[in-house]
Amino acid sequence: MTAELVRGQNHPLSQARLEIRISAGTPIVAAAALSDENGRIHGVEWVAHPGAPTQPGLEVSRQAAADHRLAVDLDAMPETVHRVGVLLALPTGGAGPVRFGSVAAPFVAVTGLDGAEIASYTIHGLDAESAVVALELYRRQGAWKVRAVGQGYAGGLAELLADQGLAQARQLAAGVDEAVSRGLARSVQAPPPRTADGDRSRQAAAPALGPDQGATAPQPGTAPQGPVPPVSPYGGQTSEGPGQTAPQPPAYPGATPDPSAVTQPSASTSAPTPGGPVDYSHPRRQNAAPPPPPPTAPPAAPGQPARPVAGDATGWSMEERLYNQVWGMFEDLARTTAAYRSAVDFAESRMDKELEQVLSDPRSRIGGQGDAAREAARARYAQLVEQAREALDRDLVQLQAEADVVEPALPPAYARWDNPVWHAYRVPMEIPMALRLGDLHLPEAERIRIPMLVRLPLERGLWIDSGRTVSSDGSFADAHSLGRLAMETAVAHAARLLAVYPAGEFTVHVIDPAGSGAQPLAPLVQTGVLAAPPALGAAGVTDVLTRLTQRVDLVQMAVRGGAADALPPGFDTAQQLLIVNDFPHGFDDRAVNQLRYLADEGPAFGVHLMMVADREQSSAYGPLLDPLWRSLLRLTPVADDHLADPWVGHAWTYEPSLVPPGSQVLHQVLTQVAAARTKFT
C-alpha cells in the first residue's frame, strides 16, 4: 500500500533497488546529492546531475523533462554516505517559468523496480522558489527510510547546494545549466499545454504519470558599396538591389493564434496493468468540450483491445485529432521502450549481483556447484529479458497497427512526400497546426516511424547540419555530397512550408554567398516562389540581413509602443523565412551579429531562420556562436540519432523528409504555389 507523505513525514524502505519517479507540468531538472550524517556534500563528485548523470548507486536523467526516472541502489552507496537528496530545479536562461509557484505542484514517488509505489509526495506550498529538495533517503541504524522534505530555495540550485555545504556550488550550478541547455537544444518540443479534460489512454509501464510537458517603413535596398556583385549562377538573375521593394513586416508579432485548445492528459485515468497492451478505447474522451465526434472504431473481438482508427483522439477538427494522435503514439512508444530498457537493466544488475555472490564464496568458485549457480543466474536473466520483450512486442503490435491507419490519413502538412495526398494538392486557405520535418524511430521498433511534427508558426530556427555525420548505417558521405544533400533537405523543408501556408502568407529569402547551392535551389528559383533571386557575395549578405533586421526592429517597436495596428498600409504581413547556405562564408562580424539577432528575436516577429552550415567551419568564432547553435533545432540530411523526446530522453533516430528520387511532386506543388501567389498579388 502506498504511503502518501506530507512534509516532514518518513516511511521505511524495505527494498534496496528503487526508482524515484518525478512528474511536473513543465520541464524541470532532476538531480541527486549524496551527503554525510550531517547533511554535508563533500564535493562535486557527490552530486549526480545532467552533466554527470551517474554516481555510485545513482543514475539521473540527462536532460530537463516533465517526467523523470531516477535509479537508486542503496546497497551500492559508499559507507560514508548517509543521505541521498532528490533535488528539483527549473531550467534557467530560457523562456520557461522561473518559480515553482507558477507551475503545477511536482509529484514524486518512490517505487520498486516492478513499478509498485512505496511512498509518494506532492510538493505543495512553493512560491518564489526555483529549486527544491523534494525527498531525502537516509540511513538510520543500518536501515534506510524516505522523508518528505519540500525545502525550497529562491536562489536556485546554487543556493540549495551552498546550503548543503558544497564549496563549489556556483560553479556546479553553472555546469548543470550548461548541460541542460545542451539537452534542451536536442529535444523535440512537446505540444503546448492542454486545457480540457480527456485524452488517449497511456501505456502503463510508468504508473505515476503526470501531465504532458507543456509544449511559446521598410526602406528600399541601398546600392552596395565596393566590388561589383558576382555573376549569378541562377540563370543570369542577380541578387536583390536598388529599385526592388524590401520585404515588409507582419501586422502583428508572432503569427496566427493557436488553433483550438487540445486536451490535457488526466492523471486520474485508471492505469492498466504494467506491461499490458496500449488501450485505444479512450474511456474519458467524452468528458472533453464537445468536438466533432471522432470516427467509430470497428468492433473488436471479445477480450481484445479496440482496433485503432485514424483520428481517434480529442480535438475540434480531424487535423487536430490526428496531431494529438501522432503525439500520443510518440509518447506511448517512448514510455513502453523506457519500461523495456528498465526491465533489461534490472535483469542485468540482478545477474551481476548473483554472479558476484558466487565469485565471493571460495567454495563455489570452482566445481559443479559454482557452474550450476552461474547457469541459474544466466537463466533467470534470460527469462526476465524474454518477459520484458514479450510485453514490449505486444505494445509494438498495437502501435504498428495504429501507425498503419494513421499514416495514409494524414493531411499534406503532416504527410511524407510520397503520400498520394500530394497528388491532390491545392493551396490551402488556412495555416495548419503543425508541419512534418521528418520521421523518428527507436532501435527496438525499427518499423514504427513517428512523424516529427512541429507547431506553426515555427518557434525555433532550423539548422541543417552539413558537417561530417555518420549515417545510421555507419556510412560516411564526402563533404561535397553531404553539403548538397543538406541543401536539398533545406529546399524540401522550405517547399513544404510554402505549400502549407495560404497564398501570400509565407515568403522565402535565400543567402548563398558563393552560389554553391545553385543546383539544389533550382526548384525554388525556376518556379518563381522566392521573394528575390538568391543573394550572392558579401554585399548580398549585408543587404538581406539589413532589411530583415530593420523589419524586426520596426515591428518590435510598434508592438512595444502599443501601436501594432499603426504600421504603414501595404506592409507585407507574410511570415518570412531566411535560408542561409555556406555560413560563415561572406559574413563579417556585423553580419554575424545580425544573424544572431534574427535567431533570437525574429521568430516572435515573423522572421524565421534556416541555416545550412557545418559548425566546424565557424570554429574561429569560438564560444561566441554557441548560443546561436543552441537556439536552433539541429536536423541532419542523413539518418542520425541526435534528437531526444521530451518525456524520457531517449536518443531517437531522425530521418529527413525528402522527395523520392525522380518524383515530380515538388515541382508540381511549387508551380501551384507560384500560380496562387501571382493571383494573390
Side-chain angles (χ1 to χ4, degrees):
M1 184 175 179
T2 303
E4 297 182 2
L5 304 181
V6 297
R7 182 173 297 178
Q9 186 178 1
N10 59 39
H11 186 76
L13 297 173
S14 58
Q15 304 178 41
R17 295 174 183 265
L18 305 166
E19 275 192 349
I20 298 176
R21 298 181 176 180
I22 302 162
S23 296
T26 188
I28 60 173
V29 181
L34 308 178
S35 55
D36 59 20
E37 63 272 15
N38 298 317
R40 182 180 179 82
I41 303 174
H42 284 217
V44 294
E45 68 278 3
W46 282 42
V47 182
H49 56 85
T54 57
Q55 298 295 345
L58 273 178
E59 184 172 2
V60 303
S61 304
R62 289 166 170 77
Q63 68 177 44
D67 298 309
H68 293 271
R69 289 187 179 192
L70 280 59
V72 180
D73 185 353
L74 298 175
D75 287 343
M77 293 293 168
E79 289 296 326
T80 54
V81 172
H82 288 260
R83 300 183 187 181
V84 181
V86 179
L87 318 179
L88 309 181
L90 293 170
T92 61
V98 296
R99 60 190 190 92
F100 275 109
S102 62
V103 301
F107 173 82
V108 187
V110 180
T111 76
L113 294 181
D114 58 356
E117 284 190 11
I118 300 170
S120 65
Y121 174 42
T122 302
I123 311 173
H124 294 293
L126 298 177
D127 186 12
E129 298 89 346
S130 58
V132 61
V133 180
L135 293 176
E136 182 181 74
L137 312 181
Y138 64 98
R139 192 187 338 229
R140 182 68 54 84
Q141 297 178 347
W144 285 90
K145 295 183 179 182
V146 57
R147 177 189 293 120
V149 180
Q151 175 64 52
Y153 294 84
L157 197 57
E159 182 184 352
L160 185 157
L161 294 171
D163 187 51
Q164 299 197 11
L166 182 62
Q168 307 94 333
R170 292 197 177 279
Q171 297 91 321
L172 180 56
V176 172
D177 291 340
E178 177 66 19
V180 170
S181 296
R182 291 196 302 266
L184 289 176
R186 62 186 285 268
S187 178
V188 180
Q189 188 172 6
R194 303 172 179 178
T195 56
D197 193 12
D199 185 33
R200 71 185 261 127
S201 298
R202 294 284 176 229
Q203 164 65 24
L209 299 184
D212 282 357
Q213 176 182 352
T216 31
Q219 302 172 357
T222 56
Q225 304 297 320
V228 177
V231 176
S232 171
Y234 301 96
Q237 296 170 315
T238 57
S239 59
E240 200 169 36
Q244 293 178 317
T245 305
Q248 298 159 332
Y252 53 91
T256 57
D258 251 0
S260 52
V262 189
T263 314
Q264 175 73 22
S266 173
S268 59
T269 304
S270 59
T273 56
V278 179
D279 179 10
Y280 292 95
S281 58
H282 310 289
R284 304 194 60 188
R285 181 178 57 206
Q286 300 305 324
N287 290 350
T296 303
Q304 297 296 320
R307 286 185 244 169
V309 295
D312 193 12
T314 55
W316 295 91
S317 65
M318 176 58 81
E319 178 196 7
E320 187 177 357
R321 293 200 296 268
L322 287 169
Y323 173 83
N324 293 338
Q325 189 170 16
V326 166
W327 270 93
M329 293 163 55
F330 189 10
E331 184 177 355
D332 284 342
L333 184 54
R335 294 193 185 281
T336 193
T337 304
Y340 168 73
R341 292 179 180 180
S342 178
V344 172
D345 289 344
F346 167 68
E348 289 178 350
S349 64
R350 175 174 174 174
M351 180 179 67
D352 291 343
K353 188 174 182 179
E354 291 176 350
L355 292 176
E356 183 180 348
Q357 290 174 346
V358 171
L359 293 175
S360 65
D361 187 352
R363 295 170 298 177
S364 60
R365 289 179 186 170
I366 57 176
Q369 183 179 358
D371 292 341
R374 284 188 285 270
E375 286 300 319
R378 295 188 182 100
R380 281 190 289 271
Y381 166 79
Q383 181 183 13
L384 290 173
V385 171
E386 182 181 2
Q387 291 174 352
R389 186 71 215 192
E390 288 176 356
L392 176 66
D393 288 342
R394 285 196 302 269
D395 291 344
L396 295 185
V397 167
Q398 293 294 318
L399 286 169
Q400 182 64 62
E402 186 170 21
D404 290 342
V405 299
V406 167
E407 187 67 46
L410 296 176
Y414 303 174
R416 296 192 187 102
W417 283 111
D418 59 359
N419 192 311
V421 71
W422 285 106
H423 296 291
Y425 169 77
R426 295 292 182 270
V427 177
M429 301 297 292
E430 296 180 351
I431 300 172
M433 289 183 61
L435 184 83
R436 185 175 191 155
L437 292 180
D439 294 337
L440 299 169
H441 67 87
L442 291 171
E444 289 87 353
E446 288 282 351
R447 292 185 59 242
I448 300 178
R449 295 296 196 267
I450 303 295
M452 179 181 167
L453 302 182
V454 296
R455 290 295 291 256
L456 292 179
L458 296 174
E459 298 177 0
R460 295 173 66 182
L462 304 178
W463 166 29
I464 316 300
D465 190 354
S466 60
R468 188 172 179 83
T469 303
V470 184
S471 64
S472 59
D473 60 3
S475 62
F476 287 87
D478 63 85
H480 176 73
S481 299
L482 198 59
R484 176 176 174 176
L485 186 58
M487 200 62 202
E488 290 175 353
T489 303
V491 169
H493 292 327
R496 186 182 287 268
L497 282 162
L498 283 164
V500 302
Y501 271 81
E505 295 193 20
F506 198 83
T507 303
V508 178
H509 309 265
V510 178
I511 290 178
D512 188 19
S516 60
Q519 189 170 354
L521 285 167
L524 299 178
V525 175
Q526 293 172 1
T527 54
V529 295
L530 295 180
L536 299 173
V541 171
T542 300
D543 179 52
V544 174
L545 290 177
T546 299
R547 289 188 289 104
L548 289 178
T549 52
Q550 287 176 349
R551 170 195 175 93
V552 172
D553 286 341
L554 180 61
V555 180
Q556 193 176 60
M557 287 188 296
V559 171
R560 290 177 178 174
D565 56 349
L567 291 168
F571 269 30
D572 180 11
T573 60
Q575 297 282 307
Q576 310 287 314
L577 174 69
L578 174 60
I579 302 176
V580 178
N581 187 31
D582 271 351
F583 177 80
H585 182 78
F587 281 73
D588 56 19
D589 290 345
R590 182 171 183 270
V592 169
N593 287 331
Q594 288 176 320
L595 191 69
R596 288 185 56 188
Y597 176 73
L598 290 178
D600 293 338
E601 303 292 336
F605 299 96
V607 178
H608 310 282
L609 189 61
M610 184 185 294
M611 299 273 290
V612 182
D614 178 358
R615 186 171 182 174
E616 291 299 318
Q617 294 181 359
S618 62
S619 58
Y621 287 95
L624 176 68
L625 292 182
D626 287 352
L628 171 66
W629 301 117
R630 282 199 298 264
S631 70
L632 304 174
L633 176 61
R634 177 177 175 255
L635 304 175
T636 53
V638 296
D640 185 63
D641 59 349
H642 67 282
L643 290 176
D645 64 81
W647 304 285
V648 184
H650 294 315
W652 292 71
T653 298
Y654 165 80
E655 293 182 5
S657 179
L658 298 176
V659 180
S663 173
Q664 296 299 311
V665 65
L666 187 66
H667 185 271
Q668 294 168 1
V669 168
L670 291 178
T671 299
Q672 288 197 46
V673 171
R677 180 177 175 179
T678 302
K679 294 178 182 178
F680 176 79
T681 56

